[in-house]
Amino acid sequence: MADNLPSEFDVIVIGTGLPESIIAAACSRSGQRVLHVDSRSYYGGNWASFSFSGILSWLKEYQENSDIVNEGPAWQEQILENEEAIALSRKDKTIQHVEVFCYASQDLHEEVEEAGALQKNHASVISENPTEAVHSAYLPSEDESLCIASCEMLTEQTPSSDLETALEISNVKVTGETEKHDDKTCMKSASEEETSKNVPTTEGTALQPKKTRITYSQIIKEGRRFNIDLVSKLLYSRGLLIDLLIKSNVSRYAEFKNITRILAFREGRVEQVPCSRADVFNSKQLTMVEKRMLMKFLTFCMEYEKHPDEYKAYEEITFSEYLKTQKLTPNLQYFVLHSIAMTSETASNTIDGLKATKNFLHCLGRYGNTPFLFPLYGQGELPQCFCRMCAVFGGIYCLRHSVQCLVVDKESRKCKAIIDQFGQRIISKHFLVEDSYFSENTCSHVQYRQISRSVLITDRSVLKTDSDQQISILTVPGEEPGTFAVRVIELCSSTMTCMKGTYLVHLTCTSSKTAREDLEPVVQKLFTPYTETETENEEVEKPRLLWALYFNMRDSSDVSRNSYNDLPSNVYVCSGPDSGLGNDNAVKQAETLFQLICPNEDFCPPPPNPEDIITDGDSLQSEASEASVILEANSETPKESASLGNPEEASQ
Amino acid sequence: MRQAGELDESVLELTSQILGANPDFATLWNCRREVLQRLEAQKSPEELAALVKTELGFLESCLRVNPKSYGTWHHRCWLLGRLPEPNWARELELCARFLEVDERNFHCWDYRRFVAAQAAVPPAEELAFTDSLITRNFSNYSSWHYRSCLLPQLHPQPDSGPQGRLPEDVLLKELELVQNAFFTDPNDQSAWFYHRWLLGRADPQDALRCLHVSRDEACLTVSFSRPVLVGPRTETLLLMVDESPLAVEWRTPDGRNWPGHVWLCDLPATSLNDQLPHHTFRVIWTAGDAQKECVLLKGHQEGWCRDSATDEQLFRCELSVEKSTVLQSELESCKELQELEPENKWCLLTIILLMRALDPLLYEKETLQYFQTLKAVDPMRAAYLDDLRSKFLLENSLLKMEYAEVRVLHLGHKDLTVLCHLEQLLLVTHLDLSHNRLRALPPALAALRCLEVLQANDNAIESLDGVTNLPRLQELSLCNNRLQQRMVLQPLASCPRLVLLNLQGNPLCQAVGTSEYLAELLPLVNSILV
């Protein structure tokens, strides 16, 4: 297909992460001809989500020592005399220190395969050539004896043969099937009933420990139920991304769930943080007086700017010191500092803390009782939603399409074209390149920070309640000075990111060491490794680990453009994911770059609604029918699931 | 069309177009009702079922246009009421959905109560429903109110107990719930109102508080626990003299015969003669199943029988009397809240009411301090608070008088702004109202049938409507008030025994001819000071 690509565009975007995808959508919406390419076989770059087999393939890719040598036709000869080339990197170096642990028992007798295995990203988004997606599925090379080199097995059996089988079989499957993941009804296929039989929910755990064993083969088999995010983020319900999704109407491509609770880890115990008015009212752990204190303080934070006399004297000290001066019990101080302002003892001053608290409260109640939303099927959906928008307005998409170099005109010092893997020269006016695509030559002066990440599959929630479908966020403060707070996000199966009976837990912090060194202490505090020898009757308090993954990801978010060597002015850099909780960074970046490319253009205006173009006579009827749709949607969707277009504002 | 009797489907079609856009159009709903009623007779059951289905669907679409339209909800009530087999489950579902969107839509709450009653939904289920909505947002009058209807149904009291009250364990649970609400947001009124209901007591049954017979005036006076209307026919209030019925004419002291606390009648001489050692008078209030009896002994001027304010704890405001430990702990938590929220008026007012309920005399001083704070934080309601304070002080004085077993009531220097409970003062002979902020001697003062001396100096009195037909009033002192018009003195002429009147320091004293006017108006008063 590559030879069919037009040879001229207005904007070429390299990399399909969130900022790149937003820009691509915005440019396409404004009438620019957009080519959007990614050298990977999936959308999202480091913003992607994977099924279980998908993540195994992804891991393998990063653990292969040799470069994927994919030498296309030599590009050097295409460079003319008045031109020079900026070679792009072949290999992604953003992921390091990958370590995988499997604790679930490996059942050798069972034939394992991932039902309908297919990395869902491939099929879900409009592609210029639908078959491209199918061919791009992971194909581990035959001679590879074990897909995960550094896999440390804590159980007696070795997983290797099992894993291998799993992947081989899934390979066979993959090539034959083209399953569309957006066909949501098909997700509730027969296999789900099967799951519920084999894997009782956590509630059964204590009573019948035998039945609760989730084996590795089950995880493999149900691998399609997983959507494992490389980057763990949430959407602030009044954050820039939500505003953008609503404004651009991209929200219709995605569904969201409200985070159901905010947790805190204090004195070895996980407890729920009451943060909304309803939470405080319903809380059983706060005394009456604490309720009043907390409400009073939070009410003050909502409009702290109006009462400067209350905080002016404390501007110079840290927020945690300031909290001590307020009428708050230590209990409440901890909640406000770590779980609501989500800062640390030393990190922020009074004003920052008040600002963060206000932002948290401001987001509360728009869609539910917490300030956060999570996209169903994972964070990786979001870049794809914007790509879809881009494609709707004519953007052209090529995955597994790498770019060998940027061609720069010597005289004007402007980039004029790219040369792709097939040696095709494609001209464009603007070039957006995601940081990881630059070669070491370009980045030699860049100082990167790192994000420590861990992904766990567990068998129960860190805080059991009546409902086993909770989505929680928990902040564990850094223990020693200089270490960073760890953000824990626990997803239940109704977020469509893990199989029934399991929880998918994401840990994130700014790196000070390797991911495992940074995060393992927290993992050990909250979870216990799954072991075979466990006594049947023992009441296990902590959730058990079935599977764990650690890795470091490069954080290119606050790299100044000037630190890259010799970039022509029409080459713009997009950063990879940052370590923050929200997505504001990506949206800000996208909007800033878009304004450079298309000055004075509206950023992602709503697309014209076909229903808006109607003759006078119809107007009444269509309004009525729309109203009915909204109400029905409200009554039918499960309570927690939020429909973005129609925010239910708290009526206070 | 309506007049022409053209009531068919075309009317439904036409009205639906208008109502679909704006459902608040009662006339058109009436039109539809007429059409539907007519079609009921004409159509087959199948056709009718289809018609009803369409109508329900149409109503739902109207409710989406305006979920708070009186006409639409009412029409739905009417329609459901006419159906042979209404689908109540569906209606409950509809209510739940609308309350999901707006949990405070009282139209929908109203409809829900109608549906729940029709479908005989168990109160426990409805209570659970209110629970779920209060959990979501406790600022919800309708939900709290519904609880106050459901809980007594769920926990009926034995017949002897006070009606509408809750058993203690339930009460404590509700108090905890409502406390959670007002500690979370003390400015939310809905919770405080529910709190007031929880601590409140049932409406007292009708009672005759006092019965008084006077030989001199040949008059019998009855005082009731609430204002009543005694008809011209005597069936509602029967008088038995020495166990035989006596037909009398009942009237109110001011002669207006409006509903009032106090009614009186003249007695014939035969009922009062001195030949028997005593006469018994029994009054029976047939409407309220209450009666009272008193004896007039030979040689005595008067006889009476009355309920003591101290025994009946008449004045422990609206709060319950039975649960003093509960009240005590409520008072403690409110004081705790008040320390955190010194300016919260609801909290202050609740403290005052709790103190009254617990022990009005013990807490008198503290109550007055809370009143001062409350007035400062809520100046908009200063006058209301003054009146409330006056009421409480008057009650306290009355209690003190009864403990002292005297018929003299001192209400001087109390900063009173209003007089109330005057019907309780039927037997008082001496009343001192001096040095207050009263602006009138209200008509209800006419209930003081035994009053001989009334002092009301140093007030701001402008009218004397209450000084009417006081049979025993001898001395009236009204120095330093704001009596301006001679006309206001007119009622004094109806007091037959008035001998001393002091009007010094009133504006009307300056006017020329006042003395002459008074001499003419009150020829029997020996001593008039102007």
Side-chain angles (χ1 to χ4, degrees):
Chain A
M1 76 164 270
D3 357 84
N4 302 336
L5 277 180
S7 57
E8 191 180 342
F9 286 89
D10 295 318
V11 182
I12 293 176
V13 183
I14 303 170
T16 53
L18 185 59
E20 303 96 273
S21 302
I22 296 174
I23 297 170
C27 290
S28 176
R29 174 73 185 88
S30 293
Q32 308 285 312
R33 292 166 297 166
V34 176
L35 173 65
H36 200 171
V37 299
D38 197 312
S39 63
R40 300 170 176 98
S41 51
Y42 49 86
Y43 281 91
N46 280 346
W47 300 79
S49 310
F50 295 105
S51 72
F52 196 71
S53 71
I55 197 103
L56 295 180
S57 305
W58 177 84
L59 286 169
K60 186 163 138 335
E61 199 176 302
Y62 279 100
Q63 286 171 330
E64 274 170 359
N65 288 321
S66 57
D67 270 33
I68 309 163
V69 186
N70 189 9
E71 206 57 67
W75 48 269
Q76 283 85 353
E77 58 204 38
Q78 290 202 35
I79 305 297
L80 304 176
E81 259 181 46
N82 59 344
E83 294 171 343
E84 56 185 41
I86 300 174
L88 294 186
S89 166
R90 288 276 151 63
K91 191 166 185 272
D92 188 347
K93 297 186 186 66
T94 55
I95 305 293
Q96 287 176 299
H97 309 300
V98 179
E99 293 178 76
V100 178
F101 302 87
C102 182
Y103 303 92
S105 69
Q106 319 272 319
D107 191 345
L108 287 169
H109 307 294
E110 222 174 304
E111 289 266 304
V112 190
E113 62 181 70
E114 180 176 313
L118 180 60
Q119 216 290 329
K120 56 118 187 150
N121 287 317
H122 304 150
S124 59
V125 175
I126 359 76
S127 161
E128 272 297 283
N129 177 354
T131 52
E132 173 86 6
V134 179
H135 294 307
S136 64
Y138 305 106
L139 299 168
S141 35
E142 305 257 327
D143 50 55
E144 199 73 38
S145 64
L146 173 59
C147 59
I148 300 160
S150 72
C151 186
E152 294 180 27
M153 285 300 138
L154 300 188
T155 48
E156 289 144 13
Q157 293 141 314
T158 50
S160 51
S161 55
D162 194 38
L163 269 175
E164 204 178 359
T165 334
L167 282 163
E168 269 168 22
I169 294 169
S170 70
N171 291 341
V172 179
K173 269 275 184 188
V174 164
T175 42
E177 282 190 36
T178 54
E179 187 150 356
K180 292 237 170 189
H181 106 284
D182 15 354
D183 192 0
K184 273 163 195 158
T185 47
C186 91
M187 300 296 280
K188 288 183 183 169
S189 60
S191 63
E192 196 157 288
E193 284 168 37
E194 205 183 323
T195 324
S196 56
K197 255 183 263 164
N198 295 343
V199 189
T201 52
T202 41
E203 259 146 88
T205 311
L207 300 171
Q208 300 155 294
K210 247 200 167 148
K211 274 192 149 184
T212 67
R213 304 273 186 252
I214 292 169
T215 60
Y216 190 68
S217 49
Q218 277 175 312
I219 293 177
I220 295 282
K221 199 167 166 188
E222 294 286 320
R224 260 186 73 247
R225 305 268 168 248
F226 289 90
N227 279 298
I228 299 172
D229 293 328
L230 293 183
V231 56
S232 170
K233 286 177 175 296
L234 297 176
L235 286 81
Y236 276 93
S237 63
R238 285 182 203 278
L240 296 177
L241 186 54
I242 293 278
D243 291 347
L244 180 63
L245 284 166
I246 293 172
K247 178 189 173 194
S248 63
N249 216 350
V250 171
S251 59
R252 69 174 132 173
Y253 301 131
E255 279 185 274
F256 298 86
K257 255 186 194 293
N258 232 118
I259 305 309
T260 54
R261 54 188 188 173
I262 313 284
L263 302 178
F265 186 71
R266 218 168 88 86
E267 288 156 6
R269 275 181 50 238
V270 176
E271 47 191 335
Q272 190 170 347
V273 177
C275 47
S276 68
R277 189 166 174 264
D279 278 355
V280 172
F281 170 65
N282 293 314
S283 168
K284 297 262 184 289
Q285 50 179 333
L286 297 184
T287 65
M288 296 282 179
V289 174
E290 279 183 320
K291 288 186 180 198
R292 185 79 291 274
M293 288 172 164
L294 183 58
M295 280 304 288
K296 201 170 179 175
F297 183 72
L298 295 182
T299 313
F300 156 70
C301 288
M302 281 291 277
E303 40 185 38
Y304 75 92
E305 290 107 327
K306 287 188 193 161
H307 309 281
D309 42 313
E310 302 244 349
Y311 65 88
K312 269 282 186 275
Y314 307 102
E315 267 181 14
E316 302 302 315
I317 59 174
T318 61
F319 188 50
S320 65
E321 286 297 318
Y322 169 71
L323 290 176
K324 284 178 196 154
T325 68
Q326 299 299 299
K327 264 193 183 169
L328 294 169
T329 59
N331 204 9
L332 297 176
Q333 289 173 29
Y334 186 94
F335 286 160
V336 173
L337 185 68
H338 297 293
S339 305
I340 295 179
M342 289 188 282
T343 176
S344 70
E345 254 88 17
T346 50
S348 17
N349 64 25
T350 302
I351 300 291
D352 293 341
L354 287 171
K355 224 178 253 171
T357 308
K358 184 185 169 174
N359 182 40
F360 181 101
L361 297 170
H362 188 58
C363 292
L364 213 62
R366 187 178 195 187
Y367 297 109
N369 257 345
T370 73
F372 307 112
L373 292 182
F374 179 78
L376 292 189
Y377 303 101
Q379 169 85 17
E381 286 294 294
L382 298 174
Q384 297 186 53
C385 292
F386 284 97
C387 290
R388 180 178 286 213
M389 160 99 163
C390 175
V392 165
F393 287 91
I396 291 177
Y397 276 80
C398 292
L399 290 184
R400 275 173 70 103
H401 197 111
S402 50
V403 173
Q404 302 197 67
C405 68
L406 305 172
V407 181
V408 182
D409 185 80
K410 275 185 180 166
E411 207 176 307
S412 65
R413 294 304 306 160
K414 288 231 173 185
C415 184
K416 53 200 236 190
I418 60 164
I419 297 174
D420 73 4
Q421 64 190 26
F422 303 106
Q424 190 187 353
R425 178 188 270 254
I426 306 169
I427 306 169
S428 178
K429 298 190 187 88
H430 302 280
F431 302 84
L432 279 134
V433 185
E434 199 261 319
D435 166 82
S436 66
Y437 284 85
F438 286 115
S439 69
E440 275 172 35
N441 287 338
T442 311
C443 305
S444 57
H445 293 105
V446 179
Q447 293 285 315
Y448 290 111
R449 286 190 307 190
Q450 295 286 325
I451 304 169
S452 287
R453 287 276 294 115
S454 174
V455 179
L456 315 172
I457 299 174
T458 68
D459 69 339
R460 75 188 74 174
S461 171
V462 289
L463 182 62
K464 256 176 105 174
T465 50
D466 301 341
S467 160
D468 62 350
Q469 293 298 310
Q470 298 273 11
I471 313 171
S472 320
I473 173 169
L474 163 65
T475 312
V476 181
E479 274 201 331
E480 303 143 32
T483 59
F484 295 94
V486 176
R487 185 171 74 234
V488 183
I489 294 176
E490 184 188 74
L491 304 167
C492 60
S493 59
S494 65
T495 59
M496 307 300 184
T497 57
C498 57
M499 64 184 272
K500 259 195 176 173
T502 65
Y503 291 83
L504 187 64
V505 184
H506 289 281
L507 288 84
T508 311
C509 75
T510 307
S511 304
S512 34
K513 294 171 230 155
T514 69
R516 189 177 150 200
E517 285 165 333
D518 282 339
L519 300 174
E520 203 170 40
V522 175
V523 172
Q524 281 168 352
K525 273 185 211 163
L526 292 171
F527 306 96
T528 176
Y530 178 100
T531 52
E532 288 293 306
T533 52
E534 209 173 299
T535 47
E536 301 276 303
N537 295 329
E538 193 184 346
E539 179 67 29
V540 188
E541 278 184 12
K542 293 178 182 174
R544 287 176 297 198
L545 287 174
L546 300 170
W547 186 83
L549 159 68
Y550 295 94
F551 63 90
N552 286 89
M553 183 187 281
R554 180 197 278 179
D555 177 358
S556 52
S557 62
D558 63 351
V559 175
S560 141
R561 185 194 148 81
N562 301 331
S563 356
Y564 296 93
N565 301 329
D566 303 323
L567 283 190
S569 61
N570 60 341
V571 173
Y572 311 94
V573 186
C574 284
S575 73
D578 62 336
S579 63
L581 174 60
N583 293 282
D584 282 10
N585 235 338
V587 179
K588 267 186 213 154
Q589 189 178 103
E591 184 160 11
T592 313
L593 295 180
F594 171 77
Q595 295 301 349
L596 292 174
I597 297 167
C598 306
N600 306 322
E601 285 276 340
D602 195 3
F603 182 56
C604 285
N609 183 353
E611 280 169 41
D612 289 346
I613 312 162
I614 36 169
T615 52
D616 282 354
D618 291 336
S619 66
L620 253 180
Q621 253 179 339
S622 80
E623 256 173 51
S625 71
E626 206 164 41
S628 72
V629 167
I630 289 165
L631 228 127
E632 269 158 28
N634 271 349
S635 64
E636 275 163 26
T637 47
K639 257 188 190 168
E640 320 91 87
S641 120
S643 128
L644 270 191
N646 183 29
E648 195 184 308
E649 301 280 355
S651 52
Q652 277 311 302
Chain B
M1 280 174 97
R2 214 168 159 190
Q3 277 169 8
E6 290 171 33
L7 295 169
D8 54 21
E9 279 99 331
S10 68
V11 176
L12 288 184
E13 179 53 37
L14 271 174
T15 52
S16 74
Q17 283 174 19
I18 303 169
L19 290 169
N22 174 18
D24 285 310
F25 208 146
T27 314
L28 294 185
W29 286 117
N30 287 337
C31 242
R32 281 182 93 82
R33 268 201 286 283
E34 283 173 31
V35 175
L36 288 168
Q37 270 168 322
R38 176 163 304 194
L39 291 177
E40 247 171 41
Q42 296 166 356
K43 301 278 179 180
S44 72
E46 293 79 33
E47 284 172 319
L48 211 59
L51 202 66
V52 166
K53 203 174 162 220
T54 321
E55 188 73 359
L56 286 174
F58 172 65
L59 279 163
E60 211 170 313
S61 69
C62 288
L63 288 174
R64 285 195 197 109
V65 175
N66 179 4
K68 295 189 174 178
S69 151
Y70 283 94
T72 319
W73 287 109
H74 182 255
H75 191 70
R76 204 173 175 93
C77 272
W78 174 83
L79 188 65
L80 265 292
R82 287 184 82 82
L83 296 185
E85 285 167 352
N87 182 354
W88 295 120
R90 191 194 125 102
E91 296 306 298
L92 281 175
E93 177 55 30
L94 177 102
C95 292
R97 249 164 56 209
F98 273 91
L99 290 174
E100 179 89 17
V101 177
D102 176 3
E103 68 266 12
R104 302 199 283 194
N105 181 346
F106 63 84
H107 301 262
C108 184
W109 275 106
D110 224 20
Y111 185 66
R112 189 186 176 92
R113 284 195 293 274
F114 163 76
V115 173
Q118 295 293 317
V121 178
E125 276 175 32
E126 288 296 281
L127 191 72
F129 180 74
T130 68
D131 270 339
S132 73
L133 284 185
I134 286 173
T135 305
R136 268 179 51 196
N137 177 8
F138 60 82
S139 175
N140 192 329
Y141 284 101
S142 309
S143 207
W144 291 118
H145 166 71
Y146 201 10
R147 286 184 92 75
S148 74
C149 301
L150 292 166
L151 284 168
Q153 283 179 46
L154 267 175
H155 307 282
Q157 288 282 17
D159 288 341
S160 56
Q163 294 304 300
R165 302 312 311 154
L166 302 178
E168 184 145 345
D169 55 330
V170 180
L171 182 70
L172 289 174
K173 254 178 75 185
E174 291 301 298
L175 283 171
E176 195 191 333
L177 185 71
V178 80
Q179 271 186 22
N180 272 324
F182 61 65
F183 268 85
T184 304
D185 184 356
N187 291 316
D188 184 78
Q189 301 186 12
S190 65
W192 288 108
F193 278 114
Y194 186 61
H195 186 245
R196 186 93 73 95
W197 177 81
L198 282 176
L199 296 178
R201 58 178 179 186
D203 284 337
Q205 286 184 313
D206 285 355
L208 296 171
R209 289 270 178 248
C210 183
L211 181 59
H212 176 258
V213 186
S214 162
R215 196 187 295 275
D216 262 7
E217 288 107 34
C219 176
L220 180 140
T221 314
V222 186
S223 134
F224 287 89
S225 59
R226 66 176 179 92
V228 298
L229 180 63
V230 177
R233 305 248 172 259
T234 53
E235 290 89 51
T236 47
L237 191 59
L238 294 180
L239 174 61
M240 310 281 280
V241 180
D242 301 325
E243 295 308 317
S244 46
L246 179 71
V248 289
E249 287 288 324
W250 294 102
R251 64 173 197 274
T252 57
D254 57 12
R256 289 190 293 188
N257 293 349
W258 288 356
H261 282 97
V262 177
W263 290 82
L264 49 91
C265 66
D266 295 320
L267 296 172
T270 50
S271 312
L272 296 167
N273 62 37
D274 242 350
Q275 288 155 6
L276 290 169
H278 64 261
H279 291 285
T280 57
F281 298 87
R282 193 145 62 93
V283 177
I284 302 159
W285 174 237
T286 51
D289 195 25
Q291 57 172 302
K292 207 154 216 75
E293 192 177 84
C294 79
V295 176
L296 183 62
L297 296 169
K298 186 174 176 179
H300 284 234
Q301 275 307 308
E302 55 187 357
W304 68 80
C305 170
R306 64 139 196 219
D307 294 339
S308 160
T310 50
D311 291 348
E312 293 289 313
Q313 300 180 306
L314 291 179
F315 307 132
R316 300 211 161 175
C317 56
E318 298 86 25
L319 295 185
S320 160
V321 289
E322 64 259 26
K323 308 272 180 346
S324 71
T325 50
V326 174
L327 296 180
Q328 193 70 52
S329 76
E330 283 306 294
L331 178 61
E332 269 147 35
S333 37
C334 279
K335 279 183 161 174
E336 203 170 24
L337 177 60
Q338 203 257 333
E339 262 172 50
L340 295 166
E341 295 291 315
E343 308 222 316
N344 185 279
K345 59 178 181 174
W346 291 102
C347 186
L348 285 163
L349 186 60
T350 307
I351 288 176
I352 292 172
L353 294 178
L354 283 165
M355 287 179 163
R356 298 250 3 120
L358 278 162
D359 192 332
L361 293 179
L362 180 70
Y363 289 111
E364 182 174 289
K365 237 176 138 178
E366 246 181 292
T367 310
L368 291 177
Q369 279 163 4
Y370 279 115
F371 262 116
Q372 277 212 324
T373 322
L374 188 51
K375 252 176 88 173
V377 300
D378 191 12
M380 296 275 283
R381 267 158 284 275
Y384 161 75
L385 293 171
D386 280 338
D387 287 357
L388 194 63
R389 193 178 131 281
S390 302
K391 176 168 172 261
F392 291 164
L393 283 175
L394 205 147
E395 289 169 355
N396 284 4
S397 302
L398 198 52
L399 288 174
K400 286 178 201 159
M401 176 185 79
E402 286 202 8
Y403 281 123
E405 291 180 1
V406 292
R407 295 171 72 178
V408 178
L409 185 58
H410 292 287
L411 292 172
H413 294 282
K414 291 202 185 291
D415 214 19
L416 301 182
T417 51
V418 76
L419 292 175
C420 49
H421 291 308
L422 291 169
E423 74 282 353
Q424 300 287 340
L425 309 184
L426 197 59
L427 302 176
V428 168
T429 57
H430 291 70
L431 177 62
D432 182 5
L433 297 172
S434 301
H435 297 281
N436 283 303
R437 289 194 282 145
L438 300 173
R439 306 185 62 163
L441 295 176
L445 193 77
L448 278 68
R449 304 291 294 169
C450 303
L451 190 64
E452 292 165 13
V453 177
L454 173 60
Q455 284 172 308
N457 303 326
D458 299 291
N459 277 289
I461 295 169
E462 290 168 1
S463 73
L464 304 172
D465 296 338
V467 195
T468 307
N469 297 328
L470 292 174
R472 299 187 186 174
L473 185 68
Q474 294 167 22
E475 289 182 34
L476 176 61
S477 182
L478 290 164
C479 302
N480 304 324
N481 277 295
R482 298 203 187 143
L483 298 169
Q484 250 163 352
Q485 308 294 327
R486 288 172 195 163
M487 289 294 290
V488 302
L489 301 175
Q490 207 117 43
L492 302 183
S494 64
C495 299
R497 299 208 187 158
L498 190 62
V499 289
L500 180 72
L501 175 66
N502 191 345
L503 290 174
Q504 284 171 337
N506 278 289
L508 57 71
C509 301
Q510 316 298 323
V512 186
T514 301
S515 307
E516 292 76 12
Y517 171 81
L518 283 169
E520 193 179 326
L521 179 72
L522 306 168
L524 300 174
V525 182
N526 324 346
S527 166
I528 301 179
L529 301 170
V530 256

